[in-house]
């Protein structure tokens, strides 16, 4: 065999080996997950609940009015879990797709939290966001209601003393007969109980009270712990019933769109002028709109669903500018009132040129 033939043979062999190695590696699980646009839900429409189509927002005990068009809330789907990670081939494909994002696995699934605990936490955040949305809508409409502060279970540690007893979203009403309304009061009551005997906790779960027994554990530093992440939780009593039915969706980012959907039903006319509007953002009872995750994927979800207007938290604008799909105009909002101002101009046909967009917000910062 000539020297040229040997070189050609070695070259082809090396190329085939490299391709085989690349092909083999493409099927190796990565250490990343993929975020992509998830389902879009019209807060003025219906959702699937136990196999039946039901109103996403239904109000009883108050006068309501017809609506039309859409006030869409957006979601983000995550491809991959700690037990089923995307391959490197999938990661490379997502890297070159502007509608998807490659994210480190631990950013979505912290090692200290199980997938089940993460799902419980997301479900609890969704419940809280719905209550805050109702409160924000009624505050804007000047409809009185009552509120009080409680202590909620935000999450449980993997080795929690309360594992299998408490759940994310539970409200702790009392410990050993003593009412608690702040995180500090809960800590003091658990410390007083010690780790030698169970503490008797009265909790509220999905509006139903029950009594449970939890034996706290002593940490290395001597602290007496339930093993929960406790956080202040506002509870409300509203003058009528607002029922939000949305299965298998978690997190707090739909709050603002829930509030707009509630206001639209409780007021005459069409808040959006019958158009298709999308948006995202957390909400608090005073109407403050907060930042959310996955904003770029939600922009593409809105564009794919046919929306031309998007309401985005102003605090997310640094992630928005330069990543807006063609045909979508993004308005920057800081409060529920800002969102209503955009919708008012859209429904009346007035010019929206003076309203802040993410481009103008970023240019001014």
């Amino acid at each position: 065999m000539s020297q040229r033939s040997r070189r050609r043979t070695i070259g082809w062999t090396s190329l085939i080996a490299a391709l085989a190695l690349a092909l083999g590696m493409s099927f190796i699980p990565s250490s990343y997950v993929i975020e992509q646009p998830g389902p879009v839900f019209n807060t003025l429409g219906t959702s699937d609940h136990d196999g039946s189509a039901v109103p996403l927002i239904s109000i009883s005990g108050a006068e309501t009015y017809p609506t039309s068009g859409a006030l869409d809330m957006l979601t983000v789907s995550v491809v991959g879990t700690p037990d089923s990670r995307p391959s490197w081939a999938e990661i490379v494909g997502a890297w070159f797709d502007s509608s998807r994002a490659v994210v480190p696995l631990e950013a979505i699934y912290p090692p200290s939290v199980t997938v089940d605990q993460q799902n419980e936490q997301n479900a609890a955040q969704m419940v809280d966001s719905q209550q805050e949305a109702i409160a924000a809508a009624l505050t804007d409409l000047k409809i009185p209601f009552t509120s009080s502060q409680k202590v909620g279970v935000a999450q449980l540690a993997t080795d929690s003393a309360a594992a299998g007893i408490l759940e994310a979203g539970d409200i702790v009403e009392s410990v050993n007969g003593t009412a608690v309304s702040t995180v500090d009061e809960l800590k003091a009551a658990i410390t007083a109980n010690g780790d030698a005997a169970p503490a008797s906790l009265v909790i509220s779960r999905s509006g139903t009270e029950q009594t449970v027994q939890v034996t706290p554990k002593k940490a290395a530093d001597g602290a007496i712990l339930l093993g929960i992440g406790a956080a202040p939780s506002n509870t409300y009593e509203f003058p009528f019933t607002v029922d939000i039915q949305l299965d298998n969706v978690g997190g707090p980012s739909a709050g603002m769109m829930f509030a707009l959907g509630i206001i639209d039903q409780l007021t005459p006319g069409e808040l959006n002028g019958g158009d298709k509007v999308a948006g995202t953002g957390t909400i608090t009872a005073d109407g403050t709109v907060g930042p959310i995750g996955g904003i770029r994927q939600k922009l593409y979800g809105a564009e794919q669903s046919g929306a031309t207007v998007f309401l985005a938290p102003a605090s997310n604008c640094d992630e928005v500018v330069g990543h807006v799909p063609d045909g979508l105009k993004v308005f920057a909002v800081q409060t529920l009132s800002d969102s209503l101002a955009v919708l008012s101009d859209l429904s009346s046909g007035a010019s929206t040129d003076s309203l802040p967009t993410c481009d103008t917000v970023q240019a001014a910062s």
Side-chain angles (χ1 to χ4, degrees), residues 30-49:
S30 71
S31 55
Y32 297 88
V33 293
I34 300 167
E35 291 184 333
Q36 62 186 25
V40 176
F41 299 93
N42 179 11
T43 60
L44 303 179
T46 62
S47 67
D48 182 77
H49 180 68

Side-chain angles (χ1 to χ4, degrees), residues 237-259:
E237 290 187 18
F238 301 116
F240 47 81
T241 301
V242 180
D243 191 18
I244 300 176
Q245 296 279 6
L246 187 60
D247 294 344
N248 302 317
V249 177
S253 65
M256 180 184 71
M257 298 310 292
F258 285 145

Side-chain angles (χ1 to χ4, degrees), residues 19 55 67 87 109 118 131 139 180 220 241 252 287 293 310 331 345 351 357:
L19 289 173
T67 62
S87 69
Y109 299 103
Q118 184 91 344
Q131 293 298 296
T139 297
V180 293
T241 301
F310 191 98
F331 292 94
D345 283 358
S351 173
T357 66

Side-chain angles (χ1 to χ4, degrees), residues 8-245:
R8 185 181 296 114
T9 300
I10 292 171
W12 278 109
T13 302
S14 299
L15 177 60
I16 292 170
L19 289 173
L21 179 61
L23 181 63
M25 287 188 64
S26 70
F27 292 101
I28 297 174
S30 71
S31 55
Y32 297 88
V33 293
I34 300 167
E35 291 184 333
Q36 62 186 25
V40 176
F41 299 93
N42 179 11
T43 60
L44 303 179
T46 62
S47 67
D48 182 77
H49 180 68
D50 294 334
S52 301
V54 299
L56 197 151
I57 299 175
S58 57
I59 300 174
S60 57
E63 185 175 7
T64 58
Y65 302 86
T67 62
S68 68
L71 291 172
D72 286 338
M73 54 161 282
L74 295 311
T75 67
V76 175
S77 294
V78 176
V79 179
T81 68
D83 297 325
S84 179
R85 293 173 289 166
S87 69
W88 284 104
E90 292 175 289
I91 294 299
V92 171
W95 190 267
F96 292 99
D97 185 342
S98 57
S99 71
R100 299 195 288 171
V102 176
V103 182
L105 178 70
E106 61 271 16
I108 304 297
Y109 299 103
S112 61
V113 180
T114 68
V115 174
D116 286 343
Q117 289 170 342
Q118 184 91 344
N119 290 337
E120 285 182 4
Q121 182 180 352
N122 288 337
Q125 290 176 334
M126 171 59 79
V127 172
D128 286 345
S129 76
Q130 293 173 359
Q131 293 298 296
E132 292 293 315
I134 299 169
L138 269 58
T139 297
D140 180 82
L141 296 173
K142 296 180 173 53
I143 298 174
F145 59 92
T146 60
S147 65
S148 60
Q149 189 180 83
K150 300 286 186 179
V151 184
V153 178
Q155 61 185 23
L156 285 82
T158 51
D159 59 348
S160 171
I165 304 172
L166 298 181
E167 297 177 0
D170 288 346
I171 302 296
V172 181
E173 303 282 356
S174 67
V175 178
N176 296 330
T178 301
V180 293
S181 58
T182 68
V183 174
D184 286 342
E185 288 177 354
L186 174 61
K187 289 180 178 178
I190 295 302
T191 299
N193 181 89
D195 64 333
S200 179
L201 278 62
V202 175
I203 64 169
S204 177
R205 178 178 299 165
S206 300
T208 302
E209 283 194 358
Q210 56 184 284
T211 301
V212 298
Q213 306 292 320
V214 182
T215 303
K217 293 181 179 180
K218 182 179 288 187
D221 62 359
I224 306 300
L225 304 174
L226 286 177
I228 65 172
S233 178
N234 293 322
T235 60
Y236 302 101
E237 290 187 18
F238 301 116
F240 47 81
T241 301
V242 180
D243 191 18
I244 300 176
Q245 296 279 6

